[in-house]
Amino acid sequence: MSEITVYIARQIRTMNPSLPVASAVAVRDDLIIEVGSLETMAPWLAAHPHQIDERFKDHVLMPGFIDPHLHPSLAAMLLPLHFITAMEWKLPDRTARAVKGHDEYLAAVKEIDASLVEPGEPLITWGYHKIWHGEVNRTVLNQLSETRPIIVWQRSFHEVIANDAAIDWMGLERAELEKHPQVNLQTGAFYESGLSVAMAGMNKYLLNPAQFRHGLELTKQSIRRGGHTTIADLAMPLADMDREWPVLLEVLDTDDTPFRVQYVPRGALRGLAPGADQDELDRVASMKQYNTHRLAFQNGVKLFADGGFFAELMQLQAPGFIDGHEGEWMVPPETFKKLARLYWHAGYRIHAHCTGDLGLELALDTLEELQFERPRVNHRFTIEHFGVSTPEQVRRIADLGAIVSANVYYLHELGDAYWQHSIGYERASQMARLGTLARHNVTFALHTDFTMAPALPLNSAWVAVNRISESGKVLAPEERITIEQAMRAITIDAAYVLGMEHSIGSIRAGKKADFTVLEADPFETAPEDLKDIPIWGTVFEGRPFPLEQSAADSLK
Amino acid sequence: MTNRQAVPVTIIGGYLGAGKTTLINELLNGEHGRRITIVVNDFGAINVDAQLIASRDGDTVSLTNGCICCSVAGDLTTELRKLSRADPPPEQIMVEASGVADPAKVANAVRGWSSMQLHQTVTLFDPLSIRDLCNDKFAASTVKRQLRHARLLLVAKLDVVSGEQLTSILGWLAQVVPGAAQRVGPLRRSEQIELLLDLSTTAPILSSDESAIQLSASHSSTAFASLTWSPAGPLNEGNLRDLFFELGNRLQRCKGWVNLDRAMRPSVLVQHGAAGTEITDVESMPVEQPVLVLIYAIGQCSETKLKSQLDACLSV
C-alpha cells in the first residue's frame, strides 16, 4: 500500500449532500480515504505515513466530470478534418475560431488551402451551414481552387458540396451523377441518397487507419480538455468490433489515459431475426470478454427508437413538422418492443435513443408494458437525448421510474433554427425540458454526443442553466435549472445513469479518487460565466494529470 | 464491354410481418429461369432449398438456378452498383426494403446510374393487419407512406384471407389511400410472381428529353392529346396525387417540374404513368418555370376541365 496523499484545496465541492464542502481530501492509491479538513482527518494521518500536497491550494476540486453519451470513434473520423464552424471549437491541436458570413467562410477555406503542403491533398472541411455561411457551391469552390479537391461537409452531416477537383478525386462518374436525383452537379451538392455516393468516394480517406488513430488521439485530448474522468460510448461497435477495438486499445488503454470508458453495446446490429433472441443475448453478454481496466462493458444495452435530431428525423406527435415531412423509425416499433423485452427480462439497463415525442411515447409505452409483465425496481431505463417531449410525458417518466440523459446543447445550437424552420417556437424553445424533469424529481444527466456538441461538461451545464440560444435569446426560461442541479447532472447523476454511482460521481471515502480541478468554483460563479471556468486538469484514480503538461507532451 | 443494358431493379417494401420474406423465398426457390439477384435485410430469415445452393460466401449465397441472394453490410447504392456491374450481370435485381423504409426513398439509391434502371416499386401488405396498422399511433404514418409511395400494391397472406374479407379490405383501402385501389396487383400469388418478373411493361421513368415520351403499345389505338400547364404558384401534393388517381388511365402520362407548398426543398420532379405517380425531390429544376406536360385520352378528358382541375391543386 502506498503512502496517503492529502490534497488541500481552496474549496472542495463533494456533490455528497451529507458533506457538501470540504477543504482536504486524503487519497491512497486510486481511492479516497477521507474527506474533510486536516483537523478532522487527523486520526487517519496519525496512523499512516502521508504527505500533504499543496498544488491545489488555490484551486477548486469537484468530482471528475462524466459524459455518459458520446462516440469516440465518430469523433476520431471527424477531428482530423478542417473545422470551419459558426461557433468556436477549442480542439486539442488548434482552436477553430468562430466563422460567420459568406466572405469570412471563403477566406477561411483559402487560408487552409494555402497552408496545405501537398498540392493534391484533399481539403475536407466540416461545419458549413447556409444559415451562417451563405451559399457555397461548386462554382464558388472552383474559384477557390481548380486543382485542390475541396469537400465541404455540412454541419448537420446532411450534405456534402464538392468542387470539380473533388468530384474527380472521389472517382465518381459525371455521366452518372448527372442523372442522380439527389446529386446536383450544377451546384456540386450531394444529399440524402446522393450523400452516400459522396461518402463512398471519401471513405478511402476518412477510414484510413493512420488517420483514424490520429483522430482518436485528438479525441482523447478533447476528452481531457473537458475535464472528464469517465465517459461512456453509447453504441458499440460503430461498425465493426474487430476493426475498432485494437485501435481503441492502442490509444485509450494506456497508462497516460486519465479517464475510463464504459461501453454500451448495441442491442441489435440489424433488427431481430426470428429465433435469434438467444444469439443476441449471447452476443451482448460476450462483450465483457473485451474488458480491460479502463475500457469496460457493464450492464447497459442500447436501443434506437426514432431518427437523428440534427437530421430532423425525429418522430413527432401532432402537429409534426412545419413543412409536413415525417421522421423515421430506426427499427419497426414492434421490433423495438421485442428487443426491449428481451433485455428487460434478462435484467439489463436499457438506454433508448428518443429524439421526438412520438419516439419517446414508444419508449414509454414499451416500458409500461414491460413493468406490467415483470415489474423491476431500480431498472435505470434511460431516455437518451430527450429532444422533443411533453410535460405529461415527463410525469410518466417519473411514474415508470425511468431516468434521462439529455443533450441540452441542441437547444443552444438548434433552438433558433428549429424555431424558424422546423417545429416552431413553442416546441423548439422547450427542447430538453430539464426544468420539468427537476420539478418531477426525475434523475437526469447531461451528455454531448460529441461531436454533435463540444465535449465540455461546463458548456453543457451553461446551456442548461441559462438556455441561451445561438442568437442570444433565452428559450423557455421555465426550463432552466440551478447551477447545483447542473453540477449534479455532470457528476453524481451521470454516474447514476451509468450504474457507477457507488464508485464515482462524488468525493467521498471509498470512491475512486477522480477529481476535476478548476480555477473557480461553479457554485460561486455567475450563471452566464459557467462555461468559461478554466480547467487545470484532473486527478484520475489518485494521479494528477495537468492539462498544460499535456499540451507540452502533444508537441513532442 | 460497351453499352450493357441497364439492369432492371424492383424495390419490394412493406411493413414488418407483411410477408416480404415469404415472397422472396418463393422467388429464390422458383423455377422461373430468371437470374435474379435479391438483396435482403436479414440473411438469417431466408429459407432456400439446400439442394439449390451452389455456393456460399459470407453474406452471399449463389443458387443453382442462377439466382443470388445477399444482404447489404454498408451502403445500398454502392452495393447495388457493384451487383449491377457483375460479370455476367443479373437479369433482374430485387431489393427488399426495410420494414420501416419508404420505397420511394429506397428507389433513389437506384436512380441516376447507367448500370441500373428502376423498374418497379412494390409495397406488400398483410390484408388482415393493414387496418390496425393504419390506426396504430406509431406505425400509421409509416405504413400509409409505404402504400402511397409504391407504384404496385400486392396483397399477401392470400391463403388465409377470404374473398369477403378481401373485398372489404380493398374497399377500405381505397378510402384511406386515394388511388390505391387502381394500384393493387393480382390476387393470386402465381400471378403476382409473374407480374414481378414481367420486364416487358414500359417503364414509367421517362427520359430527360421530354419529346421522347413513349406511349404504351396497348393504347396505340386511342387518340391522345398533350397539354402543357404552368402552375401559377406552389401546388398541394396531396391534391395533385388525388387528381391523378381520380383520372386513372384517362391520363396516359404526365411529367414535369413544380414547386410544392412546403418550406424545405419545394422543387420536385413529377412523373405519372401506367403504374402510378412518383414525386421526387430535386435540388433545382432544369426548366425556367414550373411546368407539367400531360398526355391524355381525347374524348375522355377535356383540356378545359383538366386545366381547372389542375388549378384546383394550387395551394391556397
Side-chain angles (χ1 to χ4, degrees):
Chain A
M1 241 193 291
S2 318
E3 193 178 63
I4 291 178
T5 301
V6 182
Y7 293 103
I8 58 165
R10 171 157 68 83
Q11 181 72 292
I12 299 177
R13 294 282 179 180
T14 65
M15 303 311 293
N16 174 3
S18 305
L19 181 62
V21 293
S23 58
V25 53
V27 171
R28 181 166 61 198
D29 296 320
D30 60 341
L31 287 187
I32 298 168
I33 299 294
E34 171 103 347
V35 182
S37 66
L38 287 176
E39 291 69 43
T40 60
M41 53 178 68
W44 271 98
L45 304 185
H48 296 277
H50 60 274
Q51 48 148 341
I52 314 289
D53 189 313
E54 296 203 340
R55 78 183 84 188
F56 301 138
K57 70 174 171 20
D58 297 320
H59 290 79
V60 174
L61 300 187
M62 282 198 65
F65 293 155
I66 301 165
D67 187 326
H69 185 139
L70 44 72
H71 301 285
S73 301
L74 273 183
M77 235 176 54
L78 199 67
L79 288 179
L81 306 180
H82 302 280
F83 275 39
I84 306 178
T85 49
M87 320 277 148
E88 183 187 77
W89 279 73
K90 286 205 183 78
L91 303 172
D93 53 347
R94 77 265 193 203
T95 294
R97 66 179 196 280
V99 173
K100 287 188 188 161
H102 182 67
D103 295 333
E104 289 76 354
Y105 185 85
L106 298 181
V109 180
K110 265 209 203 93
E111 206 179 302
I112 297 169
D113 179 40
S115 73
L116 293 177
V117 174
E118 301 280 332
E121 186 183 336
L123 195 170
I124 304 183
T125 168
W126 175 82
Y128 165 74
H129 201 300
K130 195 149 126 174
I131 289 175
W132 296 298
H133 302 129
E135 179 73 43
V136 169
N137 55 37
R138 183 182 65 104
T139 315
V140 168
L141 294 178
N142 278 343
Q143 282 165 0
L144 290 179
S145 175
E146 291 193 358
T147 52
R148 183 171 314 281
I150 303 180
I151 294 174
V152 170
W153 200 354
Q154 202 234 16
R155 167 61 167 111
S156 19
F157 303 97
H158 283 177
E159 186 174 70
V160 146
I161 301 158
N163 66 354
D164 281 315
I167 292 170
D168 293 334
W169 174 79
M170 288 193 280
L172 305 169
E173 289 156 40
R174 276 162 208 282
E176 308 223 296
L177 294 180
E178 222 140 61
K179 291 187 242 143
H180 197 291
Q182 291 171 327
V183 172
N184 185 331
L185 257 196
Q186 266 307 104
T187 61
F190 297 70
Y191 59 99
E192 288 191 42
S193 67
L195 180 59
S196 54
V197 170
M199 293 306 295
M202 288 174 8
N203 269 342
K204 63 184 181 223
Y205 183 81
L206 294 173
L207 297 179
N208 167 297
Q211 169 123 319
F212 184 75
R213 193 172 299 119
H214 170 63
L216 203 52
E217 287 285 352
L218 290 176
T219 302
K220 177 169 156 181
Q221 294 312 316
S222 300
I223 290 165
R224 291 195 53 184
R225 277 161 192 284
H228 300 92
T229 53
T230 301
I231 60 171
D233 186 328
L234 259 267
M236 200 59 192
L238 182 63
D240 181 355
M241 267 315 266
D242 293 333
R243 203 172 56 195
E244 290 157 45
W245 195 251
V247 189
L248 291 168
L249 284 177
E250 209 184 302
V251 178
L252 300 182
D253 194 35
T254 63
D255 202 47
D256 72 336
T257 302
F259 56 85
R260 68 181 68 78
V261 187
Q262 180 183 142
Y263 285 96
V264 176
R266 292 175 188 275
L269 297 179
R270 265 190 254 169
L272 186 62
D277 288 15
Q278 192 55 49
D279 292 338
E280 289 293 345
L281 281 175
D282 290 344
R283 176 184 62 83
V284 168
S286 76
M287 301 297 265
K288 294 203 173 88
Q289 68 176 301
Y290 291 99
N291 287 0
T292 67
H293 178 74
R294 277 178 173 76
L295 314 179
F297 290 84
Q298 292 179 16
N299 196 39
V301 77
K302 177 75 178 295
L303 302 180
F304 292 81
D306 53 351
F309 202 73
F310 262 88
E312 288 182 82
L313 290 175
M314 44 285 199
Q315 284 280 14
L316 294 178
Q317 295 179 320
F321 289 94
I322 293 176
D323 68 359
H325 87 267
E326 283 165 358
E328 287 179 0
W329 294 114
M330 297 301 271
V331 290
E334 287 88 330
T335 304
F336 177 88
K337 285 191 180 175
K338 266 177 86 178
L339 287 165
R341 175 169 292 115
L342 184 68
Y343 292 108
W344 177 264
H345 285 270
Y348 278 86
R349 185 186 78 232
I350 295 168
H351 293 261
H353 161 123
C354 304
T355 47
D357 57 353
L358 189 63
L360 177 55
E361 191 72 4
L362 175 62
L364 295 177
D365 276 6
T366 302
L367 179 56
E368 183 149 358
E369 275 175 41
L370 295 176
Q371 282 285 38
F372 191 80
E373 282 168 34
R374 183 194 200 114
R376 280 175 63 180
V377 292
N378 201 24
H379 53 78
R380 311 278 173 108
F381 189 105
T382 306
I383 304 298
E384 296 283 340
H385 302 320
F386 193 59
V388 179
S389 69
T390 69
E392 291 71 24
Q393 285 176 323
V394 169
R395 207 164 166 183
R396 202 173 172 207
I397 288 173
D399 290 343
L400 294 170
I403 57 182
V404 173
S405 179
N407 187 343
V408 72
Y409 183 80
Y410 291 150
L411 181 78
H412 173 68
E413 186 155 329
L414 295 175
D416 290 330
Y418 279 19
W419 160 10
Q420 301 290 346
H421 304 293
S422 180
I423 55 180
Y425 182 78
E426 186 181 347
R427 288 175 301 155
S429 66
Q430 293 172 32
M431 297 190 303
R433 58 173 74 258
L434 306 178
T436 308
L437 291 177
R439 282 187 283 280
H440 286 271
N441 289 317
V442 173
T443 301
F444 64 89
L446 297 179
H447 69 249
T448 61
D449 207 7
F450 181 61
T451 49
M452 290 298 127
L456 300 168
L458 287 176
N459 192 59
S460 304
W462 171 82
V463 178
V465 168
N466 297 286
R467 292 185 76 90
I468 293 174
S469 78
E470 179 256 324
S471 68
K473 295 180 200 53
V474 175
L475 301 179
E478 303 297 324
E479 295 294 350
R480 290 179 297 197
I481 56 173
T482 65
I483 291 177
E484 207 240 326
Q485 288 166 335
M487 291 302 106
R488 281 218 308 273
I490 63 176
T491 58
I492 188 64
D493 289 345
Y496 185 87
V497 162
L498 295 178
M500 297 174 78
E501 74 279 11
H502 52 280
S503 71
I504 57 171
S506 65
I507 302 179
R508 82 153 164 75
K511 285 200 176 181
K512 295 280 186 184
D514 288 354
F515 315 131
T516 301
V517 184
L518 305 172
E519 306 278 349
D521 184 347
F523 291 83
E524 284 168 9
T525 300
E528 56 273 15
D529 296 334
L530 266 182
K531 63 176 170 59
D532 301 320
I533 296 175
I535 301 176
W536 175 93
T538 56
V539 173
F540 176 67
E541 295 187 342
R543 285 172 56 202
F545 285 90
L547 286 181
E548 273 179 33
Q549 187 181 312
S550 91
D553 286 344
S554 68
L555 290 173
K556 286 190 201 149
Chain B
M1 252 205 173
T2 53
N3 264 349
R4 289 153 64 112
Q5 285 275 54
V7 179
V9 180
T10 295
I11 312 292
I12 300 177
Y15 198 69
L16 183 74
K20 301 188 294 291
T21 303
T22 306
L23 175 64
I24 286 169
N25 281 330
E26 286 188 40
L27 286 163
L28 286 172
N29 289 300
E31 281 174 6
H32 41 70
R34 176 72 53 82
R35 284 184 300 106
I36 317 173
T37 292
I38 306 189
V39 182
V40 299
N41 288 322
D42 174 26
F43 211 52
I46 296 303
N47 196 7
V48 178
D49 185 347
Q51 291 175 334
L52 283 182
I53 298 179
S55 67
R56 216 190 157 117
D57 171 27
D59 274 348
T60 303
V61 106
S62 302
L63 308 183
T64 54
N65 61 11
C67 289
I68 294 173
C69 180
C70 61
S71 71
V72 173
D75 159 56
L76 184 64
T77 301
T78 315
E79 262 324 291
L80 288 180
R81 289 185 71 209
K82 211 164 63 182
L83 293 172
S84 63
R85 288 157 146 197
D87 193 13
E91 288 172 323
Q92 191 172 2
I93 292 177
M94 293 189 180
V95 180
E96 182 196 11
S98 92
V100 287
D102 176 351
K105 263 199 169 168
V106 179
N108 279 329
V110 176
R111 276 189 237 275
W113 302 111
S114 57
S115 60
M116 303 187 275
Q117 164 107 349
L118 180 67
H119 173 68
Q120 185 66 281
T121 54
V122 181
T123 288
L124 189 66
F125 68 94
D126 172 357
L128 297 173
S129 66
I130 192 69
R131 240 195 281 236
D132 285 342
L133 283 176
C134 284
N135 286 316
D136 181 271
K137 71 176 167 179
F138 300 118
S141 67
T142 299
V143 173
K144 286 186 195 166
R145 199 168 21 176
Q146 290 173 341
L147 294 171
R148 283 198 322 268
H149 289 188
R151 294 185 219 141
L152 179 65
L153 302 178
L154 291 182
V155 183
K157 317 279 168 82
L158 288 161
D159 48 338
V160 292
V161 64
S162 76
E164 249 177 69
Q165 283 172 313
L166 211 44
T167 312
S168 141
I169 286 155
L170 292 178
W172 164 86
L173 185 68
Q175 316 234 325
V176 168
V177 182
Q182 285 97 307
R183 287 181 286 128
V184 174
L187 297 174
R188 267 211 188 88
R189 177 45 56 96
S190 56
E191 289 173 30
Q192 290 177 341
I193 301 232
E194 251 179 65
L195 182 57
L196 287 174
L197 297 174
D198 183 357
L199 296 175
S200 69
T201 56
T202 310
I205 302 290
L206 305 175
S207 68
S208 49
D209 175 8
E210 284 184 54
S211 63
I213 293 173
Q214 291 157 329
L215 299 178
S216 160
S218 64
H219 286 93
S220 58
S221 56
T222 319
F224 291 91
S226 93
L227 160 66
T228 300
W229 177 72
S230 296
L235 297 178
N236 178 286
E237 181 178 346
N239 291 348
L240 187 65
R241 287 184 181 275
D242 289 351
L243 173 60
F244 286 151
F245 293 129
E246 199 221 318
L247 290 171
N249 58 16
R250 289 177 284 158
L251 176 63
Q252 169 65 12
R253 282 280 186 275
C254 174
K255 185 185 172 183
W257 288 267
V258 298
N259 287 317
L260 297 179
D261 57 356
R262 61 186 189 209
M264 303 276 273
R265 299 201 193 284
S267 303
V268 293
L269 163 66
V270 175
Q271 296 171 118
H272 173 86
T277 306
E278 218 148 33
I279 295 181
T280 321
D281 291 7
V282 294
E283 181 76 297
S284 63
M285 300 197 274
V287 291
E288 296 219 343
Q289 302 287 355
V291 67
L292 286 181
V293 176
L294 296 91
I295 310 288
Y296 63 93
I298 295 175
Q300 294 186 45
C301 287
S302 86
E303 188 176 288
T304 330
K305 180 133 192 260
L306 259 183
K307 273 191 182 149
S308 75
Q309 284 171 313
L310 285 164
D311 281 337
C313 295
L314 289 167
S315 201
V316 286

